[in-house]
Amino acid sequence: MNWVASLCALYDANAERAGKAEKWKGKPLVLFPVGYDTMEAQIEIHIDQEGNYMGARVLEKEEAETLAPYPESRTSGPKALPLFDSLAYVAGDLLEAVTFYFSDAKNEKERQRKLARLKESFPRYLAGLKAWCESPFSHPKVRAIYRYVAKQTVAGDLIRSQVLGADENGIVSDKVKVQKTSLDKAFVRFRVFMNDELLPEDILGDPNNAHDSAVWLDRTVQNSFIDYYLSTFQTTDLCYMTGEHTPRAKTHPLKIRGKWDTKAKLISANDDTNFTYRGRFITKEKDTGYNEALSIGYVTSQKAHNALKWIIRRQGFSRDGVCIVAWENALRDLPDFYASAADILSRVTENAEDEAEFETEEEILLEEDEGEIPETNYASAAKFNAALDGYASKLSGISKMVVLALDSATPGRLAMTYYKELESSRYLKNLHQWHDSCAWKHEYIQDKKLKVYEGMASLREIALAVYGTEQGEDNNPQLKLSKNSDNKAPMLADVFERLRPCIIEGGAIPRDMVRAAVLKASNPLAYKGKFNYNKVLHIACSLVKRLYWEKQQRMESEGVILRMELDKTNRDRSYLYGRILAVAERVERATYEKGETRTTNAERYMQAFSRSPFRTWNTIWNNLQPYLKQLKPAAREYYKNLLGEITGLFEYKDRISNEFLDGKYLIGYDCQRTDLKRWPKEQPAPEGGHSSPEGTDEDHNNEEGEERR
């Protein structure tokens, strides 16, 4: 199945929603009927069923969105919409009632051209509306609108109702704005009040909104227009997407990713004068839309584009040039592949009937002397796996998943950069494999509370960690990505593009991305915020873990399953060097006074240490001696014994080698740091009877507070 067929199937499966205004997560959402789009209206006119004016009002921005017939994209020159349009088209008396200066015209010739265009607008609109009313598909509300606008009193009525006000000179001119929109471009919609005698149950039991005065919500009007417009096609052609002879589409819809997306098209081939089909095919005929190179049915194009618009607005991700949407064929709720494990788990918590089963968070204030994260603030991998199992249990045997990505290199062209269909069960399996193979403990702050989860961070967080830099005030620096002149973050799109196959298809992780993450995590001096550095470090650990997991799956000699907990039997050179670096950092930090924020020697030399560990360790060790002397004897002895224990695990040739450390040193570093933080609850006390190696709980708490800052 191709992408057009998938989207048409999505449209057909939800056809009963077409034209029906719904609420989705607190926002209005509508699946556009064939030939419809939304417009921002500034004026609403009220008439009765005989076409008599009853009143009008200016619309606020939050109520302005209007579903309107919009069969083909407008081209240059006057082209009226079938039902609702701007005042230039709807008001036949506009030139009589309003003074037009055309102050934006560059010269008299342009002013005359604008005036001629304005004169042509209303006759075109009225002729189109008349043709609809005289067709077998006419509608009473449409006939009422036709009778009203044919009187050519729209502008005068709006002036008398003070919807159109005078300027500072007392003249109603084109300088007047309606909701910051120029007067002639102010979009008009209609309410038609029918004189039907209805009971309350008739109105409540009206699924088509036929009794609603809002013409744009009346589904009987929508069906009337669709039938009428399809009857106007004189010829049919072969639709390359369905293989059937149907009315062909001359142009294709806009605003695919959002209301702001007013230029980019997915299907566009309107260059009939230059190089599009030179020497190969007959070029496209302007009047009929015939194209020997490609022909797409109008209904097919409308269904595919409207379904895509709807699903993007319903559950798509659009940010910094990235637009991704994934859906299950029955629209069952499935986790997003680009989300973090915490996001996926929180969605399950919100949607679950029994929220207590997935309760993972407890409101605990983050204070300087807070110890390890409590279990109530901790989302384990087991709970995440249970959440995925919950999704899987709701799937049917024929459940399919579609993942689609869009991007635009220029404002006028939209490209589909990724399209994948797969079984939903396989999608969940690959998603579980991604979070399991990358599983690490990640921290995030929510409502000023520190929380921890096991799994993988979101793709956006990965992009920030690997390619972002700290920006902002010194007391609150944030990781941010650099943006180009279009205000897009190219590296965010790159991360989505390259990691998407890893998650959805189980592909290999990009080696250069892993190297970049390791280099970033090896430079703690680049980060003022400890939270930011910990995020970078933990994401780097996740990527390194995934890399060696892949090698293990391919039965390579370097392949290994790296654990989140400290592995005291691991004799890998890089892993061991990471451990001794963590011990050195702990020793120095244990001597700091409360509130002291000095960088340790271990952090200062970390980058050099990763490149030349044996030589750099001698420097770190020498600088560590004054700090060891400040510790109590039992603590000093404990750390010396620990360093001796780690050093004893080295092969001699590995220890004296000055080859670069690989990413596993970050795994050893972070695991050892975490293990040392567990004093005094989980570790056995050193000889001498002290409850912690530093000798006092206060020292431990001071250090913990520093870590979180």
Side-chain angles (χ1 to χ4, degrees):
M1 186 180 289
N2 58 46
W3 64 273
V4 174
S6 295
L7 289 168
C8 286
L10 177 66
Y11 189 96
D12 291 337
N14 296 275
E16 74 282 354
R17 299 174 185 259
K20 185 178 180 181
E22 299 175 323
K23 284 285 185 180
W24 180 256
K25 296 183 178 179
K27 296 182 179 179
L29 179 69
V30 60
L31 175 61
F32 299 157
V34 171
Y36 270 72
D37 203 343
T38 53
M39 303 293 289
E40 295 289 324
Q42 285 78 40
I43 298 173
E44 182 179 284
I45 296 178
H46 302 169
I47 60 175
D48 63 21
Q49 65 179 7
E50 302 300 328
N52 298 314
Y53 179 77
M54 299 175 64
R57 67 191 186 98
V58 176
L59 297 171
E60 299 298 329
K61 187 174 182 179
E62 57 270 14
E63 58 178 341
E65 191 168 54
T66 303
L67 193 62
Y70 201 95
E72 302 278 357
S73 298
R74 290 208 200 205
T75 56
S76 59
K79 184 177 180 181
L81 295 179
L83 188 58
F84 308 135
D85 213 324
S86 61
L87 270 178
Y89 290 88
V90 172
D93 60 335
L94 192 63
L95 285 173
E96 300 173 5
V98 177
T99 303
F100 281 86
Y101 296 105
F102 297 111
S103 54
D104 58 338
K106 298 178 182 179
N107 48 48
E108 181 62 22
K109 183 178 180 180
E110 184 177 350
R111 197 185 77 84
Q112 291 299 325
R113 182 175 60 80
K114 286 178 176 287
L115 184 62
R117 180 171 179 174
L118 193 59
K119 289 179 179 180
E120 295 177 24
S121 298
F122 176 71
R124 289 176 181 267
Y125 170 75
L126 192 65
L129 199 58
K130 182 180 180 181
W132 184 359
C133 291
E134 293 178 349
S135 74
F137 311 103
S138 179
H139 193 281
K141 290 182 180 178
V142 178
R143 292 195 296 270
I145 293 172
Y146 173 71
R147 284 192 287 268
Y148 171 64
V149 297
K151 298 175 184 178
Q152 301 188 40
T153 61
V154 173
D157 290 338
L158 293 177
I159 292 172
R160 284 188 290 274
S161 298
Q162 297 184 344
V163 172
L164 301 181
D167 59 18
E168 61 275 8
N169 299 317
I171 300 173
V172 180
S173 71
D174 60 352
K175 295 179 181 179
V176 174
K177 301 287 185 180
V178 182
Q179 294 292 57
K180 300 181 180 180
T181 303
S182 60
L183 185 144
D184 59 318
K185 294 181 180 179
F187 198 83
V188 179
R189 72 185 188 193
F190 294 91
R191 279 187 181 271
V192 179
F193 293 88
M194 308 297 287
N195 297 329
D196 300 330
E197 294 183 1
L198 300 170
L199 297 174
E201 54 266 26
D202 295 329
I203 299 175
L204 294 174
D206 178 20
N208 291 318
N209 290 331
H211 304 310
D212 195 335
S213 62
V215 180
W216 61 95
L217 297 178
D218 190 336
R219 299 175 77 183
T220 61
V221 174
Q222 297 166 10
N223 293 330
S224 168
F225 170 72
I226 294 169
D227 294 338
Y228 160 69
Y229 185 69
L230 291 179
S231 71
T232 63
F233 287 86
Q234 301 298 318
T235 59
T236 62
D237 198 359
L238 177 66
C239 174
Y240 279 50
M241 298 300 175
T242 63
E244 300 175 355
H245 280 268
T246 61
R248 71 179 71 89
K250 297 178 184 178
T251 59
H252 300 276
L254 299 165
K255 298 188 286 188
I256 294 172
R257 293 173 291 181
K259 291 185 291 185
W260 51 270
D261 202 11
T262 56
K263 294 182 179 181
K265 287 185 176 182
L266 255 181
I267 305 173
S268 177
N270 55 7
D271 184 4
D272 51 15
T273 57
N274 294 317
F275 299 100
T276 306
Y277 308 124
R278 178 172 291 182
R280 298 180 181 178
F281 306 103
I282 298 174
T283 57
K284 185 172 76 173
E285 297 178 11
K286 294 182 179 179
D287 295 332
T288 66
Y290 176 77
N291 197 326
E292 196 174 75
L294 178 66
S295 177
I296 300 175
Y298 174 75
V299 174
T300 301
S301 174
Q302 286 287 314
K303 284 185 176 181
H305 284 87
N306 289 350
L308 183 56
K309 292 179 183 180
W310 178 70
I311 200 68
I312 286 176
R313 288 155 179 76
R314 187 179 191 270
Q315 57 198 62
F317 174 89
S318 295
R319 187 163 187 168
D320 290 339
V322 176
C323 181
I324 290 177
V325 63
W327 72 91
E328 194 261 350
N329 57 353
L331 287 184
R332 294 182 182 90
D333 191 30
L334 288 180
D336 299 318
F337 71 89
Y338 49 80
S340 69
D343 292 335
I344 294 172
L345 191 55
S346 66
R347 281 188 59 186
V348 174
T349 305
E350 292 172 2
N351 298 332
E353 293 181 0
D354 183 9
E355 295 191 3
E357 180 181 353
F358 296 99
E359 191 67 36
T360 61
E361 299 171 355
E362 180 177 308
E363 293 189 357
I364 297 177
L365 294 176
L366 177 61
E367 300 174 352
E368 281 191 356
D369 61 348
E370 182 187 353
E372 195 65 20
I373 304 301
E375 288 300 315
T376 50
N377 231 19
Y378 177 71
S380 67
K383 292 181 179 179
F384 175 76
N385 294 338
L388 291 188
D389 290 341
Y391 281 112
S393 65
K394 300 176 183 178
L395 298 178
S396 66
I398 58 172
S399 177
K400 298 286 185 181
M401 190 77 183
V402 177
V403 183
L404 186 149
L406 303 170
D407 196 7
S408 58
T410 64
R413 293 293 183 271
L414 187 65
M416 186 171 296
T417 58
Y418 184 83
Y419 177 77
K420 184 72 176 178
E421 291 182 49
L422 69 165
E423 293 180 358
S424 300
S425 57
R426 183 185 167 198
Y427 172 81
L428 288 176
K429 179 181 177 182
N430 291 344
L431 186 62
H432 173 269
Q433 180 177 275
W434 168 254
H435 284 275
D436 183 60
S437 61
C438 299
W440 208 256
K441 292 180 181 178
H442 298 277
E443 298 176 351
Y444 68 105
I445 295 176
Q446 186 178 44
D447 300 327
K448 297 183 180 180
K449 303 172 187 71
L450 188 67
K451 302 179 181 181
V452 178
Y453 66 92
E454 286 183 11
M456 186 45 163
S458 67
L459 292 190
R460 182 174 177 274
E461 289 174 309
I462 295 172
L464 288 170
V466 179
Y467 301 113
T469 56
E470 271 193 342
Q471 299 176 31
E473 301 176 358
D474 290 347
N475 60 344
N476 188 29
Q478 302 289 326
L479 289 173
K480 294 184 180 180
L481 294 166
S482 59
K483 296 190 175 183
N484 57 20
S485 57
D486 296 328
N487 201 33
K488 295 179 180 179
M491 298 315 298
L492 178 64
D494 183 69
V495 168
F496 270 79
E497 185 75 21
R498 301 182 68 194
L499 290 185
R500 189 169 50 228
C502 301
I503 306 171
I504 298 174
E505 303 171 35
I509 196 167
R511 301 291 182 91
D512 62 300
M513 194 177 293
V514 180
R515 286 194 295 270
V518 171
L519 289 174
K520 279 296 189 76
S522 299
N523 187 21
L525 299 184
Y527 304 92
K528 297 176 182 177
K530 285 292 182 182
F531 177 81
N532 292 335
Y533 174 69
N534 285 337
K535 181 180 288 290
V536 172
L537 173 63
H538 296 156
I539 288 176
C541 288
S542 283
L543 296 176
V544 169
K545 181 181 179 181
R546 168 75 181 198
L547 175 64
Y548 285 96
W549 175 87
E550 289 177 2
K551 291 184 176 183
Q552 196 268 347
Q553 298 299 305
R554 294 191 296 265
M555 307 297 289
E556 296 180 15
S557 59
E558 293 182 343
V560 64
I561 303 297
L562 296 166
R563 292 158 34 191
M564 285 184 288
E565 301 299 327
L566 180 63
D567 183 1
K568 296 183 178 181
T569 64
N570 192 327
R571 304 189 69 172
D572 180 85
R573 169 179 175 268
S574 296
Y575 190 89
L576 293 174
Y577 264 122
R579 288 186 64 187
I580 64 174
L581 185 69
V583 175
E585 178 187 327
R586 173 71 175 198
V587 168
E588 184 171 348
R589 198 177 294 281
T591 65
Y592 287 1
E593 297 292 335
K594 184 175 182 178
E596 196 167 349
T597 59
R598 278 190 297 115
T599 303
T600 65
N601 282 285
E603 293 172 306
R604 186 177 297 112
Y605 288 105
M606 189 172 183
Q607 199 169 36
F609 182 81
S610 66
R611 297 174 180 174
S612 181
F614 182 67
R615 184 182 301 114
T616 309
W617 173 248
N618 290 330
T619 304
I620 295 174
W621 176 250
N622 291 333
N623 290 337
L624 197 63
Q625 299 310 306
Y627 300 102
L628 280 170
K629 293 178 180 179
Q630 295 182 45
L631 296 177
K632 293 188 176 183
R636 182 166 57 249
E637 192 65 22
Y638 171 79
Y639 284 121
K640 284 184 177 180
N641 289 339
L642 180 57
L643 288 171
E645 176 187 323
I646 298 172
T647 305
L649 295 173
F650 277 98
E651 294 288 342
Y652 179 72
K653 59 182 178 59
D654 290 339
R655 188 170 66 85
I656 65 173
S657 171
N658 263 315
E659 292 182 4
F660 282 24
L661 298 177
D662 60 41
K664 290 194 293 294
Y665 98 91
L666 292 176
I667 301 287
Y669 172 72
D670 191 53
C671 287
Q672 185 65 71
R673 283 205 322 170
T674 303
D675 190 71
L676 288 171
K677 288 178 186 177
R678 288 179 175 151
W679 287 90
K681 292 181 179 179
E682 299 180 19
Q683 294 278 26
E687 293 182 7
H690 294 282
S691 60
S692 73
E694 288 82 357
T696 66
D697 290 342
E698 182 180 358
D699 293 331
H700 166 70
N701 290 335
N702 291 345
E703 193 274 334
E704 285 296 327
E706 173 58 28
E707 279 295 307
R708 280 173 173 73
R709 282 192 298 277

